[in-house]
Each structure stands twice: as structure tokens, then as C-alpha cells.
């Protein structure tokens, strides 16, 4: 067990750190935007780098809305809720790249965050103040073939120690059909995003997201899991295009 611990010899501390990451991975599409306002405003022209109005697998139009049926928890502690994500027409530059702002509301909270498409990579901003993490999480690299992975490394500081980590994004399927809550979606891509932490010469993964994106719509289905247990699931109920 010791090789899995990077901030403490206590396994419960390790589990706590893992859980913080699961929160980030479970909140698909948006994240807390604390600190992002430090980035300069970018006029929202409706265009993304490359001149397209929308990315193939992610619309960015103002007013675009996604309604999801969500379940969270495990065993006897599973709860159901509705999560609604809406893009508000604002955009910002993060590390020189354009990202679009949206809010996700549920019965318990409202969070804001950013999602974008730059250099072939679909990604969202992830922030977890509890462990000092503020990073861009890739969810799909359209320059990869089925079976290939895209790696993005980053660091964060936990209890005074710098932790080396990375997102490992594997393209599992492309051009498939996926049925979600009785509706069939065509031209869907399926990726798996594993969060891995470096321990010496090893990269250890303990959490993952499976994400399905439909062409022209965005995320239609997503799950978050840890230690082979599903802890969060979102299923698209409806999508309303923006302008």
C-alpha cells in the first residue's frame, strides 16, 4: 500500500485525496470558476480558433442548454437529480486559448466553468480549491486514432508537497451509435479519462471518467468511477441549440 501514498502513510488520507479528484471528475462540463476572472476577457464572436462557429462535437453558441438526469453515490447512498448546463455567451482566454463560459445548476448548487476546443483538443477547466488544483482537463483529442491515448501532465501542491499528475485520455470508440434514455444518437465518440499520479517510476490510476460526445450536440452520457465503482452518472434528457 505504501507506494500508493504521496502525502501521508495513512490510507484514509490517501482516500480523502482521491475523493477530491473524484469530485472534479464527476462535475462533468463545468467547474468552480474562482480565480478564472483573472484572465482577460475575450470578445465572444461565436468563432473558435480555426474559424468554425462550433467544434464538431461541442456547440458553443450563447443560450445552448443541456438537461441531464444525474445519479451520484454508491450502494444505498445513491441520489438522483437534474443538472442543467447553459452557455451564457461569454468567453475568456486561459493560457492564451479561448474557452466558453457556462453554468450548471442542480437542486443543491450552481457552479460556473469553462469549456473549449483548441488545437484538436476538447477540454474543460477544473479547479479544486481544497488541494490547490487549477488545471485544464482534456476530454477528447480528435487527432488520435482508436486505441491511442493523449497525455497531459500537470502539478498541484497538497499539504506543502508538489504532486506530479497527468490526465490520460484514451479514444475507445468513434462513429458509433449510443442510446441514452430511449433516444438513439449517431456519430458518437467514446473516451476514457484516467487521472494518474506519479509514484517514483510508476503512474498509478485510481479514478476515471467515461464520456460520450455526439456530433453537433456535445456530452450525451458520462460516468465517473473509482476503484472499479461507479460514483456518478449523467444522461442527456434534452438539448437546446444556442445562437
Amino acid at each position: 500500500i505504501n507506494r500508493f501514498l504521496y502525502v501521508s502513510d495513512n490510507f484514509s488520507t490517501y482516500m480523502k485525496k482521491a475523493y477530491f479528484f473524484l469530485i472534479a471528475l464527476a462535475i462533468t462540463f463545468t467547474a468552480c470558476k474562482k480565480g478564472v476572472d483573472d484572465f482577460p476577457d475575450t470578445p465572444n464572436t461565436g468563432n473558435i480558433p480555426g474559424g468554425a462557429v462550433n467544434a464538431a462535437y461541442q456547440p458553443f453558441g450563447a443560450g445552448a442548454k443541456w438537461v441531464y438526469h444525474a445519479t451520484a453515490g454508491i450502494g444505498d447512498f445513491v441520489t438522483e437529480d437534474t443538472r442543467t448546463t447553459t452557455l451564457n455567451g461569454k468567453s475568456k482566454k486561459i493560457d492564451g486559448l479561448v474557452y466558453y463560459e457556462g453554468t450548471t445548476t442542480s437542486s443543491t448548487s450552481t457552479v460556473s466553468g469553462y469549456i473549449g476546443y483548441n488545437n484538436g483538443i476538447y477540454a474543460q477547466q477544473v479547479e479544486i480549491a481544497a488541494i490547490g488544483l487549477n488545471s485544464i482537463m482534456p476530454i477528447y483529442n480528435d487527432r488520435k486514432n482508436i486505441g491511442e491515448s493523449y497525455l497531459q501532465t500537470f502539478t498541484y501542491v497538497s499539504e506543502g508537497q508538489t504532486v506530479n499528475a497527468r490526465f490520460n485520455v484514451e479514444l475507445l470508440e468513434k462513429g458509433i451509435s449510443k442510446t441514452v434514455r430511449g433516444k438513439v444518437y449517431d456519430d458518437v465518440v467514446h473516451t476514457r479519462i484516467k487521472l494518474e499520479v506519479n509514484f517514483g517510476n510508476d503512474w498509478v490510476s485510481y479514478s476515471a471518467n467515461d464520456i460520450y460526445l455526439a456530433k453537433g450536440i456535445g456530452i450525451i452520457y458520462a460516468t465517473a468511477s473509482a476503484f472499479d465503482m461507479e460514483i456518478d452518472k449523467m444522461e442527456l434528457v434534452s438539448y437546446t441549440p444556442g445562437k
Side-chain angles (χ1 to χ4, degrees), residues 110-177:
T110 297
V111 295
S112 298
Y114 292 85
I115 189 165
Y117 174 74
N118 297 278
N119 303 317
I121 299 170
Y122 297 76
Q124 67 182 48
Q125 184 248 351
V126 172
E127 180 175 3
I128 314 174
I131 58 174
L133 173 64
N134 190 333
S135 184
I136 297 296
M137 182 177 77
I139 59 177
Y140 172 44
N141 185 335
D142 64 16
R143 299 179 181 181
K144 295 296 183 179
N145 297 316
I146 294 174
E148 294 182 336
S149 293
Y150 169 72
L151 303 176
Q152 179 176 299
T153 59
F154 62 96
T155 61
Y156 66 94
V157 177
S158 176
E159 297 183 0
Q161 299 185 37
T162 299
V163 179
N164 295 311
R166 72 184 184 186
F167 295 114
N168 183 343
V169 185
E170 183 180 5
L171 178 59
L172 300 179
E173 301 174 287
K174 185 174 182 179
I176 65 170
S177 294

Side-chain angles (χ1 to χ4, degrees), residues 42-198:
T42 301
N44 184 3
T45 63
N47 295 323
I48 59 174
V53 174
N54 296 299
Y57 291 91
Q58 177 57 60
F60 294 113
K65 182 171 73 174
W66 297 258
V67 178
Y68 296 95
H69 176 263
T71 56
I74 59 175
D76 295 331
F77 301 97
V78 173
T79 61
E80 297 186 49
D81 203 350
T82 297
R83 299 175 192 166
T84 301
T85 295
T86 306
L87 297 188
N88 59 19
K90 298 179 181 179
S91 60
K92 290 194 180 286
K93 279 190 175 181
I94 301 176
D95 294 332
L97 302 176
V98 177
Y99 288 83
Y100 295 84
E101 185 179 273
T103 58
T104 296
T105 60
S106 67
S107 63
T108 58
S109 66
T110 297
V111 295
S112 298
Y114 292 85
I115 189 165
Y117 174 74
N118 297 278
N119 303 317
I121 299 170
Y122 297 76
Q124 67 182 48
Q125 184 248 351
V126 172
E127 180 175 3
I128 314 174
I131 58 174
L133 173 64
N134 190 333
S135 184
I136 297 296
M137 182 177 77
I139 59 177
Y140 172 44
N141 185 335
D142 64 16
R143 299 179 181 181
K144 295 296 183 179
N145 297 316
I146 294 174
E148 294 182 336
S149 293
Y150 169 72
L151 303 176
Q152 179 176 299
T153 59
F154 62 96
T155 61
Y156 66 94
V157 177
S158 176
E159 297 183 0
Q161 299 185 37
T162 299
V163 179
N164 295 311
R166 72 184 184 186
F167 295 114
N168 183 343
V169 185
E170 183 180 5
L171 178 59
L172 300 179
E173 301 174 287
K174 185 174 182 179
I176 65 170
S177 294
K178 174 73 172 175
T179 302
V180 179
R181 300 185 69 81
K183 182 174 181 178
V184 179
Y185 297 89
D186 296 317
D187 205 344
V188 173
V189 296
H190 172 201
T191 66
R192 178 167 296 149
I193 306 136
K194 292 184 291 186
L195 184 131
E196 301 175 333
V197 176
N198 182 251

